[in-house]
Amino acid sequence: MLGRTAKGVFWMARYLERAENMARLLDAGHRMALTRDAVISQNEWRSVVETVGQTAAYKQSHGTYTGIQVWNFLLREKGNAQSVLAMIESARTSARSVRTALTREVWEAINESWMTLSAMLAKPVREVSLGEVLATIRRQATLVRGAVEGSMLRNENFNFFRIGTFIERGDNTARILDVKYYVLLPSLAWVGSSLDNVQWDSVLRSVSGERAYRWLNAGAMDPRGIAQFMILDRRFPRSLAFSMDKVRSNLAGLAHQYGQETSAHEQVRASGSQLHGLSIDGIFDDGLHEFLTQFIACNRQVAQAIERDYRFYA
């Protein structure tokens, strides 16, 4: 498989997943901001910007963190190369560059997503329409994934799409958890308070895990239990362990197709082994921030190794 084809499929998946993650974060931020006073509301919106790593870019054009400024910056601002609109455009461009490697259903789903969201985000988004916009972003991403799952051969194209998806998903979940303790809470004195519990509920909603967690834990909001669920629970499709497992299994598919492994396989196995041997108590004792920082760095190294090993720059 040519490196440019692998690159196109891989990054198409990453852009789509990143756009959907953005919509989920904005939805959680909006829910929280509606129940808070002006000061705490701005803290919520600041946490959204911090989570997606766009604080420096945001500060260049905005001085405050009001909701309408934040969501329009992250959704559609022309000066923001990481906006949802820019990512959907990039996903479509990547898909078009590898059009012959995709089924008609996948191409049509991506093209429809681009047309729908381009029209919807042509004008500034008002609060009254924010919910509809965010729901549409999530729905369009789901349609593309459904087309991939339902029409693509289980070959290298499918494996690169899945690897891109789960690398991006693992990174997003780790960043959300990291920001929880270092941005969302006003101070450590709030840990365990009613505000802390509401914040954890917001974190679960941002990864669509609130209902699943309540099913498994009889509705109890326990910070360690939630962290365990989001990091180590292999039943939850947005946990770090689940994401790493899927990256590993799809890399194994590539090894089978190409008849050899690469350095990326070794890195993923090492990361997976570390997760298998961990407990949530051990993670908290050693430092949640330190663990998540290391995971994000390892995840990035795996992505770079895949790009290098499969000649994405060929």
Side-chain angles (χ1 to χ4, degrees):
M1 186 180 189
L2 293 176
R4 61 177 176 270
T5 303
K7 178 182 179 181
V9 174
F10 178 82
W11 277 102
M12 177 187 76
R14 292 196 69 174
Y15 287 132
L16 286 169
E17 182 69 21
R18 198 175 295 179
E20 182 182 0
N21 291 337
M22 189 87 76
R24 293 179 183 279
L25 277 170
L26 286 169
D27 183 58
H30 187 229
R31 287 174 181 271
M32 287 295 300
L34 287 174
T35 63
R36 302 297 166 196
D37 61 32
V39 174
I40 296 180
S41 176
Q42 289 213 20
N43 287 338
E44 299 298 337
W45 288 117
R46 178 172 61 90
S47 76
V48 173
V49 177
E50 180 75 14
T51 299
V52 297
Q54 296 194 40
T55 302
Y58 182 85
K59 286 182 176 179
Q60 289 180 359
S61 53
H62 301 287
T64 59
Y65 289 90
T66 59
I68 194 167
Q69 288 179 331
V70 171
W71 71 62
N72 276 289
F73 175 80
L74 295 178
L75 288 173
R76 62 177 299 278
E77 189 159 312
K78 290 184 177 179
N80 180 13
Q82 295 297 315
S83 70
V84 166
L85 189 57
M87 285 186 282
I88 293 297
E89 173 73 29
S90 295
R92 181 177 182 268
T93 299
S94 295
R96 187 169 54 188
S97 72
V98 294
R99 175 68 184 84
T100 57
L102 305 176
T103 61
R104 176 172 56 85
E105 289 83 357
V106 173
W107 167 249
E108 288 178 351
I110 292 174
N111 198 44
E112 177 190 326
S113 297
W114 173 75
M115 290 189 294
T116 299
L117 293 173
S118 292
M120 187 168 276
L121 296 174
K123 296 180 180 180
V125 178
R126 297 180 299 165
E127 185 167 14
V128 68
S129 59
L130 179 61
E132 179 186 357
V133 170
L134 299 179
T136 301
I137 295 168
R138 296 195 301 270
R139 183 167 57 251
Q140 293 300 139
T142 300
L143 288 173
V144 176
R145 278 201 305 273
V148 171
E149 293 285 343
S151 69
M152 292 286 288
L153 289 172
R154 270 41 178 177
N155 58 11
E156 61 266 36
N157 295 327
F158 180 82
N159 282 318
F160 278 117
F161 182 90
R162 295 266 291 178
I163 291 167
T165 295
F166 286 105
I167 281 178
E168 194 66 38
R169 188 173 295 182
D171 181 82
N172 179 71
T173 298
R175 289 179 184 278
I176 289 172
L177 275 170
D178 196 30
V179 170
K180 161 61 185 165
Y181 265 100
Y182 288 87
V183 176
L184 275 178
L185 290 178
S187 74
L188 291 179
W190 289 92
V191 175
S193 66
S194 59
L195 173 62
D196 186 41
N197 291 334
V198 173
Q199 298 282 21
W200 277 114
D201 181 77
S202 174
V203 169
L204 283 171
R205 288 181 182 276
S206 69
V207 294
S208 294
E210 185 261 350
R211 182 167 296 182
Y213 177 81
R214 290 184 184 276
W215 280 339
L216 294 172
N217 296 276
M221 280 293 169
D222 171 61
R224 289 198 179 213
I226 293 171
Q228 192 278 335
F229 177 68
M230 293 177 64
I231 294 172
L232 299 174
D233 198 320
R234 286 177 161 78
R235 296 168 294 179
F236 179 49
R238 291 184 178 273
S239 73
L240 303 189
F242 186 97
S243 297
M244 188 61 66
D245 283 349
K246 294 305 176 184
V247 171
R248 183 171 62 250
S249 66
N250 287 107
L251 275 173
L254 290 178
H256 177 74
Q257 289 158 358
Y258 291 125
Q260 63 180 5
E261 292 190 346
T262 69
S263 63
H265 293 77
E266 297 175 6
Q267 290 188 31
V268 170
R269 270 198 298 271
S271 298
S273 297
Q274 291 177 348
L275 283 172
H276 273 288
L278 287 175
S279 68
I280 197 61
D281 288 336
I283 290 173
F284 270 77
D285 289 345
D286 293 337
L288 179 63
H289 173 67
E290 288 72 19
F291 166 78
L292 294 170
T293 299
Q294 182 181 16
F295 178 89
I296 291 168
C298 290
N299 200 48
R300 184 185 304 115
Q301 290 169 3
V302 168
Q304 292 170 344
I306 291 169
E307 290 187 296
R308 180 186 64 249
D309 294 347
Y310 291 98
R311 300 169 59 197
F312 276 24
Y313 305 102

